[in-house]
Amino acid sequence: MSNVKALPLLEPAVEPCCPPLNERPLTADEAERTAVMFKALGDPVRLRLFSAVASHEGGEACVCDISDVGVSQPTVSHHLKKLKEAGLLSSERRGTWVYYRVEPAVLTAMGQLLTKAATA
Amino acid sequence: MSNVKALPLLEPAVEPCCPPLNERPLTADEAERTAVMFKALGDPVRLRLFSAVASHEGGEACVCDISDVGVSQPTVSHHLKKLKEAGLLSSERRGTWVYYRVEPAVLTAMGQLLTKAATA
DNA sequence: TAGCTGTTTCGACATCTGTCGATCTCTTGC
DNA sequence: GCAAGAGATCGACAGATGTCGAAACAGCTA
């Protein structure tokens, strides 16, 4: 599989990608990048998977611990990949199992994007 | 034609729909409802429209003020409807123009969903 | 080495989504 | 009443997305 443009932003780049939504209208480019993160949480299955990882002890969980969300195992893997590509999760293999972990900085950025807009 | 409009699900019901994502795994039903809001912000055009409304004075704006996002007028209307159905915006007609306004409570709920998950 | 288990990738498919032009509704003004 | 402008709705269409079963891949253990 020689897909050259496979991984666009697997570098989470925890920088403040996002000015608060009420500070000024987002540019097309800012919106494009920010929407990727929101879209990643815009699917019920992904939201459950993410919540399962986030609520697990240490903020990380094995795939086998969170696969019970009502879809097939390949679909779980597909959604975890999406969350990873959006920078919300990172993964690490430890022997037989693969562990996914939340990226708190990205989460904080998204949260402030919203709460600052709400309180200002 | 009667004055009674359709009004399918435009009652946002600003209740705390969402426990923090790291408190416990979301149920299927919680995820379903929460994903609607994130999905609404998961499109670049909608994100720009929302940001344009949120950054406007008073947190509200006429459609004519924010329509310059590079898509046709029907598409703008379509996206504003999506944001409204997700409970993120509300609309009101004043004479010729229609004004959209942010729903701060829903925004706060979404933000805390993320920031509480990030800091805990 | 072979076999087993956990996870990812592949290929295919039905559905959902974003987009547009055309048209309709509502309000204002003549 | 009629025309004009602001938005919403309709119908159609291409492309994206979620889903699955089958297969490939990666470690462990015998």
Side-chain angles (χ1 to χ4, degrees), chain A residues 1 62 73 77 100:
Chain A
M1 183 175 57
C62 168
Q73 201 278 325
S77 187
Y100 280 81

Side-chain angles (χ1 to χ4, degrees), chain A residues 56-76:
Chain A
H56 221 258
E57 39 198 319
E60 73 172 22
C62 168
V63 176
C64 56
D65 291 329
I66 59 177
S67 294
D68 191 20
V69 289
V71 295
S72 70
Q73 201 278 325
T75 301
V76 168

